[in-house]
Amino acid sequence: MKKYKDYTRDELTHELEKLKEEYGEVAARDLRLDMSRGKPNGEQLDTANSLLTVPLTPEDYITAGGTDLRNYGGFDGIPEMKKLFSELYSVPENYIFVGGNSSLQLMYDALCRAMLFGTADSPRPWSEEKNRKWICIAPGYDRHFAITEMLGFTLLTVSCDGEGIDIDRIEELARDPDVKGLWCVPKYSNPSGCTYSDDTVRRLVSMECGAPDFRIYWDNAYGIHDFSEDGDTLADIFAIAEECGNPDRIFYFASTSKITHPGSGVAMFAATEHNLAHELRAVRAQTIGYDKLNQLRHVKYLKNPENVRKIMAELAAYMRPRFSAVYRALSPLRPLGIAEWSEPRGGYFISLDVLPGTARRVWELMRGAGVTLTPAGATYPYGRDPEDKNLRIAPSYPTEEEIAAASDILALCVRIAALEHYIAG
């Protein structure tokens, strides 16, 4: 198959006219399809509905330590939830603080505490650092970038692709004492789908940092979200950091958001005892505790790591055909030389790179055809993709029929945008 760049002008014009006619027919269907965010669909949420009816006895309300879960107290989480998180993510129980439904909130709170009080190793509050900077791996998670931008950090972009992150560049930037931290989604990254290699993890925790209070925000959102039993393996960052003498560098986050119900899940913040003692002094002033009965319901429903793996295998069965539908629709684009995309072995996203200079146009065409995508540029700091080529595709929310239809429209829009680009060029 001939690539578009090798078409004559007449061939480009003829092909564009044909595809625009097809696009007009699609737009006339008045569709309402959503591929914008990594939300579970209703069918997937239904699989966890028994969480809402978990039977609890009066004896269940009282912990082994005598805390009544219906009352105040136990502000750092119930022991059973800590144990389950510890087993699922290989994090020491004594490192774990259990919060509400949102790990993003825990990240925001941790950064705000650093702004007000610094970290356990800070010479001063971060708000007093005049030139504070933050490393952002891109394409990456827009909500991460929004937090550090809102708090006044200069965002430093480091590239990521399906093979991994530019660790050389991170090491170079981290030597600057104004650089305070780094956002990471280390397994099935949002949206590239890459999983950090053991070497990358080791270099992150052993690298020289100019700031004594440098922190890696380790957002392991998809740590157990494999599509099959032979999913990617992520190194134990706390164990390696301990070996390298830098365990305090890690702030670790995870949640049950895409295991049970995102709106009523349980989130975890983990750090060394040295870090946690400092952090919890401020948390004690903020809250007397999160919803301990919800934590108990999750423990009763999830039970143990073996049962969680069974649940995740069921959820993987919902995800695989949706991802496959996207790949099928995109497959004709690669021979045309106008698109490349990730094919992760887990997680929630596909990173689509279209012809440079056309991502925003693809997004506009999709919107005109009734399909919502995350805005072009959102996967980069400040919402600015320097090459205007990346789009984040979220196949989880539509039904299988809807994702197939939306993916066909996506392939159509990518082709139209590429043809327009070549004709204009």
Side-chain angles (χ1 to χ4, degrees), residues 75 97 113 117-121 269 273-287:
F75 92 107
F97 172 83
R113 285 193 299 272
F117 311 114
T119 71
D121 307 311
F269 166 52
E273 290 180 301
H274 172 64
N275 273 325
L276 211 56
H278 177 274
E279 298 297 312
L280 295 192
R281 279 197 296 272
V283 177
R284 285 182 186 276
Q286 179 185 24
T287 181

Side-chain angles (χ1 to χ4, degrees), residues 40 45 101-103 225 254-263 265-267 348:
L45 294 174
N101 73 300
S102 172
S103 56
H225 295 70
S255 79
T256 66
S257 286
K258 294 180 177 69
I259 303 171
T260 59
H261 295 157
V266 183
Y348 260 67

Side-chain angles (χ1 to χ4, degrees), residues 93-172:
E93 285 183 53
N94 57 326
Y95 283 17
I96 293 175
F97 172 83
V98 184
N101 73 300
S102 172
S103 56
L104 187 68
Q105 180 191 20
L106 295 181
M107 294 176 225
Y108 179 87
D109 285 350
L111 269 162
C112 286
R113 285 193 299 272
M115 293 292 289
L116 289 169
F117 311 114
T119 71
D121 307 311
S122 297
R124 64 191 67 84
W126 286 6
S127 59
E128 296 178 10
E129 303 284 359
K130 294 182 179 179
N131 300 307
R132 56 186 177 274
K133 304 170 186 175
W134 199 270
I135 301 172
C136 299
I137 296 168
Y141 184 28
D142 52 331
R143 294 184 186 272
H144 282 167
F145 305 155
I147 295 173
T148 36
E149 181 182 357
M150 180 178 291
L151 294 177
F153 290 83
T154 297
L155 308 186
L156 308 174
T157 302
V158 170
S159 65
C160 172
D161 58 28
E163 299 302 315
I165 61 177
D166 186 348
I167 185 65
D168 292 339
R169 179 62 174 155
I170 290 174
E171 289 173 332
E172 178 186 345

Side-chain angles (χ1 to χ4, degrees), residues 243-255:
E243 291 175 18
C244 296
N246 294 314
D248 291 332
R249 187 173 292 180
I250 315 306
F251 278 7
Y252 193 123
F253 304 88
S255 79

Side-chain angles (χ1 to χ4, degrees), residues 145 324 342:
F145 305 155
S324 295
S342 62

Side-chain angles (χ1 to χ4, degrees), residues 360-416:
R360 193 167 298 277
R361 176 57 176 157
V362 172
W363 180 82
E364 291 171 350
L365 288 165
M366 290 290 280
R367 182 177 59 176
V371 184
T372 302
L373 294 181
T374 301
T379 55
Y380 281 77
Y382 307 110
R384 296 194 295 268
D385 177 354
E387 294 187 81
D388 185 26
K389 71 175 185 179
N390 186 255
L391 292 164
R392 185 180 75 175
I393 310 303
S396 59
Y397 187 68
T399 65
E400 286 188 43
E401 288 185 359
E402 289 172 339
I403 196 65
S407 299
D408 287 339
I409 297 168
L410 174 61
L412 173 64
C413 293
V414 171
R415 292 173 68 182
I416 290 173

Side-chain angles (χ1 to χ4, degrees), residues 329-344:
L330 295 180
S331 60
L333 303 182
R334 192 168 273 145
L336 295 172
I338 58 173
E340 293 291 337
W341 55 91
S342 62
E343 295 190 11

